[in-house]
Amino acid sequence: MSDPADMYRCQTGNCGYVYDPARGDKRGKIPPGVRFEDLPEDWRCPVCGAGKKAFKSLAES
């Protein structure tokens, strides 16, 4: 598991998906090790489909 400063939680409704760079996003074909900042701009939450702007750093929570 990554440091919370590197993890981002989806802020839409009740989704709560957390992007962890140590795990990547298998559904979105993002390999482990890709930082949130380096995700493609068109990347979407694999649970609810929200864009990157709907995510907030866990360090800010």
Side-chain angles (χ1 to χ4, degrees):
M1 184 179 284
S2 296
D3 181 305
D6 296 328
M7 298 169 66
Y8 286 76
R9 180 182 306 278
C10 185
Q11 299 293 306
T12 61
N14 295 323
C15 176
Y17 172 80
V18 174
Y19 178 76
D20 180 352
R23 298 185 64 174
D25 172 18
K26 187 183 283 188
R27 190 179 291 172
K29 298 182 180 164
I30 305 295
V34 176
R35 298 179 321 151
F36 185 82
E37 297 84 5
D38 296 332
L39 289 170
E41 287 305 313
D42 62 349
W43 179 82
R44 297 278 192 215
C45 173
V47 175
C48 71
K52 287 176 66 175
K53 291 180 182 180
F55 282 75
K56 185 173 183 179
S57 171
L58 287 183
E60 297 173 18
S61 298

